[in-house]
Amino acid sequence: MFEHFNTADQVFHYKLGLALTMEYDSLDMLVEMEEAALRSDVRDLFRDHAHKSRQQIENLQQIFSLLGIEAHQAPSPASKGMAKEARSYIAKTDDAVLDGALLAGGLELAHYETAVYDGLVIQAQAKGTAGIAELLHQNLGQEKAVIEDIKAAFESVATEDAAIQEESAAPDAPAIVIPPYLPPGSI
Ligand SMILES: [Fe+2]
């Protein structure tokens, strides 16, 4: 869209386009993670986050309309990379620890999205255009709520996984025999 940025508005419009791409990438990733997750509460969590992503896409489209410019997507290599990484986890992670790996990916994504909206809210507030900062603030609030939900689920899944691993490792662990202390020269 822009070869070179000359104004704060150009940067703001470009970042809005990046946020739109990020939300579409996020939606694709969440749908795949929901299908792959094994626990029903983890699936529900990703489904809820996907629903929020759809609302956030609508908010972004409304912002473009308030600005009087056509909604457009700008490149978002970071979210593309995160989606690629999530697919790689789905392909190479054993079922026993898959939910934890997916939640870690979801948490990273939500933190990135939060950072993008934090920056956009600052720019929108500085610009002072009515309605735009509020819509971006809604998206930011949803991302922050998602972070808290994922963290709570991840803590419970990680604790469960660690306990299962400890249980399954215990019977196979070789018994460690400590030889009696023999003073030097006694053999
Ligand atoms: Fe989002």
Side-chain angles (χ1 to χ4, degrees):
M1 188 183 176
F2 298 105
E3 291 296 318
H4 186 81
F5 302 117
N6 297 305
T7 66
D9 270 359
Q10 287 176 345
V11 175
F12 182 60
H13 295 170
Y14 190 85
K15 288 278 186 183
L16 284 171
L18 177 151
L20 190 56
T21 307
M22 171 188 82
E23 288 300 346
Y24 281 118
D25 289 341
S26 167
L27 187 54
D28 288 347
M29 178 175 162
L30 289 161
V31 168
E32 288 176 44
M33 294 203 299
E34 184 199 332
E35 281 171 13
L38 297 165
R39 290 171 176 83
S40 65
D41 53 340
V42 176
R43 281 200 298 273
D44 291 347
L45 193 70
F46 289 137
R47 189 181 308 119
D48 175 67
H49 191 178
H51 175 66
K52 288 189 168 87
S53 299
R54 290 187 186 94
Q55 290 176 334
Q56 291 165 358
I57 288 169
E58 280 177 28
N59 280 357
L60 288 169
Q61 283 166 341
Q62 203 182 330
I63 290 168
F64 280 117
S65 145
L66 285 168
L67 288 168
I69 57 175
E70 203 175 325
H72 62 272
Q73 289 188 51
S76 173
S79 56
K80 290 263 181 302
M82 286 181 185
K84 192 176 169 190
E85 195 174 310
R87 278 180 203 114
S88 151
Y89 277 122
I90 292 170
K92 69 184 179 191
T93 306
D94 195 84
D95 279 358
V97 285
L98 179 61
D99 283 351
L102 294 177
L103 287 166
L107 186 59
E108 288 157 19
L109 175 69
H111 273 287
Y112 174 65
E113 291 184 83
T114 300
V116 169
Y117 286 121
D118 253 335
L120 282 169
V121 166
I122 290 169
Q123 283 178 294
Q125 281 170 341
K127 201 173 146 62
T129 314
I132 293 176
E134 287 77 4
L135 286 163
L136 288 167
H137 209 267
Q138 273 180 24
N139 286 12
L140 176 62
Q142 283 190 331
E143 297 298 350
K144 286 182 174 173
V146 164
I147 287 176
E148 292 313 310
D149 290 346
I150 295 181
K151 276 170 79 173
F154 194 10
E155 275 163 14
S156 136
V157 165
T159 307
E160 258 178 57
D161 287 353
I164 292 168
Q165 193 175 314
E166 204 172 312
E167 252 173 50
S168 64
D172 298 325
I176 298 169
V177 179
I178 301 169
Y181 174 71
L182 298 172
S186 62
I187 300 174

